[in-house]
Amino acid sequence: MNTHFSCVGCGKCCSDHHVPLTLDEARMWAADGGNVIVLVEGFLGNGLGLALQQREHAERRSVRVPSGSTEAFVAITFAAYNAGRCRNLDADNLCSIYERRPLVCRIYPMEINPHIPLNPAAKECPPQSWEQGPALIVGGELVDLELAELIGRSRQADRDDVQTKEAVCALLGIRTTALKGDGFTAYLPDMGAFAQALERAGDQPCVANEWVFHVSGMDIAEQLLDAGAQIATEVPANYAFIPLRAA
């Protein structure tokens, strides 16, 4: 099946979506007065919380950390916080920073994760977006070479930035992760402190700081405890837990 796409300028993809940022983009976003949300998910070294076929990709974008008496891998995403319309969207639904918009905005509607196929039905774009425009996917293959290069750049930045992101988290006191597939822990740091942490992170020693897991239920908690991981037992003071499992 072939997929075509042409943006119709509805602005839906620019509203209520937290856009993943590279480190340089996060610096720019904060300097421009925007807020950056920190989203964290992890899995254990024994594979708990992760499908086997996804492990290589997940490990490459994660930092290896201790949790209790076991080993965990933590993936940290810095994202533009957009509750409502993006702050850079003007009255005509046009991007006011179009020439320097984040990589993920340039890549849309394609997915960054290689294990998530493009599904037009899962996007908020109106039907006419998929009825016209250049071909994106032909015979199951992405044919837009420029788009493929941007996706490669985004994935590589995700891998290159992970150690610095973990150092930023250490400076901000972020040490609680969700289990991949169960949810995310979400932090909204003070942007002044965030900007300072970004500047100081390169000088941080490479020390593996211990992380703890926040989970949605006792069934998952017991699996983590049996594997030796540490579980969060206190009421969250500086983050929110975003569950992914159905209640």
Side-chain angles (χ1 to χ4, degrees):
M1 181 177 177
N2 300 339
T3 302
H4 294 255
F5 179 78
S6 179
C7 177
V8 296
C10 70
K12 290 183 179 179
C13 65
C14 303
S15 299
D16 294 312
H17 291 283
H18 303 325
V19 178
L21 304 169
T22 66
L23 281 177
D24 288 340
E25 290 168 351
R27 288 189 186 94
M28 179 191 75
W29 197 267
D32 283 351
N35 288 315
V36 175
I37 189 170
V38 180
L39 302 170
V40 192
E41 59 177 347
F43 61 97
L44 295 188
N46 66 4
L48 181 63
L50 183 70
L52 182 61
Q53 67 269 25
Q54 297 180 17
R55 177 141 190 165
E56 180 182 1
H57 171 71
E59 280 194 9
R60 294 183 70 185
R61 65 183 300 269
S62 302
V63 61
R64 192 189 307 256
V65 299
S67 177
S69 61
T70 192
E71 177 182 77
F73 293 84
V74 172
I76 302 160
T77 300
F78 292 167
Y81 179 71
N82 290 320
R85 288 167 59 87
C86 174
R87 63 193 307 274
N88 295 304
L89 198 64
D90 67 19
D92 296 318
N93 286 336
L94 298 176
C95 178
S96 62
I97 59 165
Y98 188 80
E99 296 303 320
R100 56 188 181 93
R101 68 195 187 282
L103 263 177
V104 168
C105 298
R106 299 171 187 269
I107 290 165
Y108 190 86
M110 292 300 298
E111 302 288 352
I112 303 300
N113 189 326
H115 300 288
I116 301 177
L118 174 62
N119 178 10
K123 303 293 182 178
E124 294 180 307
C125 308
Q128 56 265 38
S129 298
W130 309 100
E131 298 167 355
Q132 57 188 330
L136 280 183
I137 298 173
V138 176
E141 297 293 330
L142 177 62
V143 296
D144 187 323
L145 297 182
E146 181 179 357
L147 202 52
E149 190 272 335
L150 291 175
I151 292 171
R153 280 173 51 192
S154 178
R155 290 177 182 168
Q156 190 59 50
D158 216 13
R159 299 160 186 161
D160 293 343
D161 294 347
V162 65
Q163 294 290 342
T164 303
K165 288 178 180 177
E166 205 274 342
V168 170
C169 286
L171 290 165
L172 293 174
I174 295 174
R175 278 287 163 267
T176 303
T177 179
L179 183 68
K180 187 174 179 63
D182 186 44
F184 292 91
T185 51
Y187 299 80
L188 270 176
D190 172 82
M191 282 297 95
F194 180 78
Q196 290 181 7
L198 275 174
E199 295 308 311
R200 292 175 54 197
D203 300 326
Q204 284 290 100
C206 295
V207 177
N209 298 288
E210 185 169 26
W211 285 71
V212 301
F213 282 86
H214 183 124
V215 296
S216 64
M218 283 303 301
D219 55 335
I220 297 177
E222 289 172 358
Q223 293 180 65
L224 286 164
L225 289 170
D226 288 345
Q230 187 173 349
I231 302 296
T233 57
E234 299 179 356
V235 175
N238 63 337
Y239 69 89
F241 176 74
I242 303 174
L244 293 179
R245 292 202 306 171

